[in-house]
Amino acid sequence: MDRLESHRGVLTVARSCTEIVEVIALCETGLADAVILAGAAEEAETQDIDAMIERGVPVVVLCDDASQGRRLAAAGAYVAGTGTTAVELGILLTRARTELGHREHGTDPDSAGDQATAEPGKKARVVVFWGPVGSPGRSLVALNYAVECALANAEVVLLDADTYGASQAVQLGLLDEAAGIAQLCRTVDTGRFDAATLERICAPVVIAGARMRVATGLPRASRWPELRPTALRRAVLALQESCDVIVIDVAAPLELDEDLTFDTAAPQRNGVTAAMLRIADEVFALGAADSIGVPRLIRALEEMHEVLGELPVKVLFNKVSVANAGASPRHALAETWERFGPELPVSCYLPNDPAAVEAALLAGSALAEIAPHCGLRVAIAALAGHQVRAKQTLLRRLAPSR
């Protein structure tokens, strides 16, 4: 640090801090263009690096320990040796600020450090189920979609990231108060990004002979601050190295207005939903097929576009029935969507089957096990790319008696 303070060049030491809280506070005020952390590298926490990067300040850590260097690089920091000269640090910081600026103006403004964890061995497809308020059936379809993928011999991880009303544990009959999704975030915050460790946190579940893993959601909505968007995103990117499909169930709200409510940077309850939608390979926007659900879905998609920009969205109508949409429900919905909806095609119409759904919920299982031939299960299997035969009722025409 003495070498930096005596250097006369592009670098100027504005403040030397002994507490990380003071560093974050300076980043918040905008007085710092970059942060250099020197000293014991093992004391640098992932959440602290995130806090600085999220405020638009790149972080360089001076570290000679290879293992700590990999951990900090995965957390989004730039790592340099303790013998790096002031000139070399100036070049590194200039590059760091340029790259951070590109990320902030790109499609994913929260992607700091993801390149270090996302690309090597990237394997799994990330599928997110989202929809407007009003219980359109996000969690139910997400669960059964994951089961159908598992039945096709894919390695599946189901994440319940709903910060308002997590329900996957209840649907599966799991008495789990540990909240696997929060454990994933805590593990990432300790600097452990390996897929094997994260996968072990997810509970193994066997349905209809198929095995998958489930990270259960928060048992109480008041625990939402435990889900940090950056940590959960890194967990998903790490899990991609060890499975084929990651299915994520998220909450409906998208507004990111905490900065307008608080005088300083505040945790964002809806940040988890936004982060998962941004990294998704496929987004299923689910709406109820009735006179209330359709306009809700249209308005929600408009809001999604305003907040998050272009995303790979596929529209699904759930609970399609004659009672909800008229004598020809699919034709009526398609006509309404073409007239009032955004320029997104409707990918699937899921039939309303309350008897099968209630039986599955009562049994704490999925449709594939409880009602394998019902129309809803067949439609969800087709959505997952698999064909299942529906049970056919054969009618024999009786010959008139003589």
Side-chain angles (χ1 to χ4, degrees):
M1 191 60 65
D2 293 336
R3 288 176 299 171
L4 288 175
E5 291 179 343
S6 61
H7 178 71
R8 296 296 179 265
V10 295
L11 292 181
T12 301
V13 178
R15 184 77 63 87
S16 295
C17 307
T18 57
E19 299 292 336
I20 198 69
V21 176
E22 184 182 357
V23 177
I24 296 174
L26 286 170
C27 294
E28 179 67 31
T29 62
L31 295 178
D33 293 324
V35 170
I36 299 176
L37 299 181
E42 61 274 9
E43 295 181 4
E45 300 289 345
T46 300
Q47 57 264 40
D48 295 331
I49 293 175
D50 285 342
M52 291 178 263
I53 293 175
E54 287 168 359
R55 288 159 175 79
V57 180
V59 181
V60 172
V61 182
L62 301 181
C63 172
D64 292 326
D65 187 315
S67 61
Q68 290 293 335
R70 287 192 295 270
R71 177 180 72 86
L72 296 169
Y78 293 81
V79 180
T82 55
T84 305
T85 66
V87 174
E88 291 170 335
L89 278 175
I91 296 173
L92 178 59
L93 287 170
T94 301
R95 179 167 66 88
R97 283 195 59 79
T98 301
E99 292 178 355
L100 183 59
H102 287 323
R103 286 195 291 262
E104 288 177 342
H105 294 91
T107 55
D108 186 356
D110 297 321
S111 61
D114 286 350
Q115 280 72 18
T117 55
E119 295 304 324
K122 183 175 181 180
K123 179 183 177 183
R125 182 168 55 96
V126 179
V127 182
V128 175
F129 283 86
W130 170 86
V133 296
S135 300
R138 295 182 303 269
S139 300
L140 175 75
V141 178
L143 168 61
N144 285 278
Y145 182 93
V147 170
E148 295 302 331
C149 292
L151 287 170
N153 298 320
E155 295 181 19
V156 180
V157 175
L158 173 62
L159 306 181
D160 191 345
D162 190 331
T163 53
Y164 287 82
S167 61
Q168 294 298 345
V170 176
Q171 286 191 116
L172 291 168
L174 300 176
L175 300 177
D176 185 6
E177 291 290 320
I181 198 79
Q183 291 185 53
L184 288 179
C185 292
R186 287 195 294 268
T187 302
V188 168
D189 281 338
T190 62
R192 293 151 65 190
F193 297 95
D194 58 295
T197 300
L198 297 175
E199 191 174 13
R200 282 195 296 271
I201 295 173
C202 304
V205 175
V206 178
I207 297 178
R211 185 178 184 273
M212 65 180 189
R213 288 189 172 271
V214 180
T216 52
L218 301 173
R220 291 183 297 279
S222 60
R223 292 177 57 182
W224 67 265
E226 296 180 33
L227 300 189
R228 289 199 316 111
T230 308
L232 186 57
R233 184 179 61 251
R234 289 200 181 110
V236 173
L237 295 173
L239 286 170
Q240 283 186 296
E241 301 178 13
S242 65
C243 61
D244 300 310
V245 182
I246 300 175
V247 179
I248 308 177
D249 177 18
V250 297
L254 289 174
E255 62 274 6
L256 303 175
D257 58 358
E258 285 82 353
D259 292 337
L260 301 178
T261 307
F262 299 91
D263 294 333
T264 183
Q268 293 184 332
R269 185 172 192 174
N270 304 330
V272 168
T273 297
M276 296 301 99
L277 289 170
R278 283 179 176 132
I279 64 171
D281 297 308
E282 200 169 27
V283 176
F284 287 114
L286 206 70
D290 54 44
S291 57
I292 296 177
V294 174
R296 276 181 175 172
L297 179 58
I298 293 173
R299 289 193 295 268
L301 286 170
E302 291 174 352
E303 182 183 4
M304 173 191 279
H305 182 74
E306 292 173 0
V307 176
L308 303 176
E310 294 291 340
L311 293 176
V313 179
K314 295 183 177 180
V315 176
L316 305 180
F317 278 121
N318 191 28
K319 305 177 185 179
V320 177
S321 68
V322 172
N324 288 338
S328 181
R330 291 194 179 191
H331 177 74
L333 288 168
E335 191 176 63
T336 302
W337 191 256
E338 183 178 359
R339 183 177 178 183
F340 300 105
E343 294 182 359
L344 292 171
V346 179
S347 298
C348 189
Y349 298 86
L350 302 176
N352 191 30
D353 198 338
V357 170
E358 290 169 6
L361 289 175
L362 183 63
S365 188
L367 295 170
E369 189 167 65
I370 303 303
H373 301 292
C374 73
L376 180 56
R377 188 265 165 130
V378 172
I380 296 176
L383 185 66
H386 315 128
Q387 296 298 322
V388 176
R389 287 183 176 274
K391 187 174 182 180
Q392 301 293 330
T393 303
L394 300 180
L395 300 178
R396 185 178 61 184
R397 180 175 296 175
L398 299 177
S401 56
R402 294 182 180 178

